[in-house]
Amino acid sequence: MGVEYRQTPNILNIEDLEQRRVRLEEHRARLREVFGAFRHTCQVATVHGLSTRAIDACNGVSAASRAVYMGLGDITEGIRDPSAFYSALDDYWTAVYELGEAVRLEEP
């Protein structure tokens, strides 16, 4: 998901509001496409996680990704300012980091 999120700032910088809305809708469609594989990876990690910390961290990444997606929907509809994306993205990357830490601490 992070690879896709890296494309978002260019879209948010489009000054023409209608063009930005169209591009965000297309971008969200692409996010829905890649979410299937992402969700599967999270499910596998949750099933095979050895610790509660790793499972919780995986669920945290999934929740943070959903927050980014939903926030982009609000931005697309003009409910939220585009700057809200960056806060949600920071939360996503924090969750990814926490997952990495939890996995490294897993016992073999």
Side-chain angles (χ1 to χ4, degrees), residues 11-85:
I11 298 168
L12 293 177
N13 286 331
I14 295 172
E15 291 186 24
D16 180 280
L17 296 180
E18 180 59 20
Q19 184 181 11
R20 181 191 311 156
R21 184 191 62 74
V22 169
R23 291 285 310 281
L24 280 170
E25 287 176 356
E26 293 168 352
H27 186 53
R28 290 183 79 228
R30 174 69 183 142
L31 290 172
R32 283 190 301 275
E33 289 174 21
V34 299
F35 187 77
F38 171 78
R39 184 181 63 214
H40 176 73
T41 300
C42 285
Q43 289 170 336
V44 168
T46 299
V47 167
H48 294 288
L50 300 176
S51 69
T52 302
R53 181 178 179 190
I55 293 168
D56 289 346
C58 188
N59 289 335
V61 172
S62 184
S65 182
R66 183 179 188 286
V68 171
Y69 178 79
M70 297 305 289
L72 285 174
D74 289 347
I75 292 166
T76 301
E77 295 174 16
I79 296 170
R80 294 174 74 185
D81 185 76
S83 63
F85 166 76

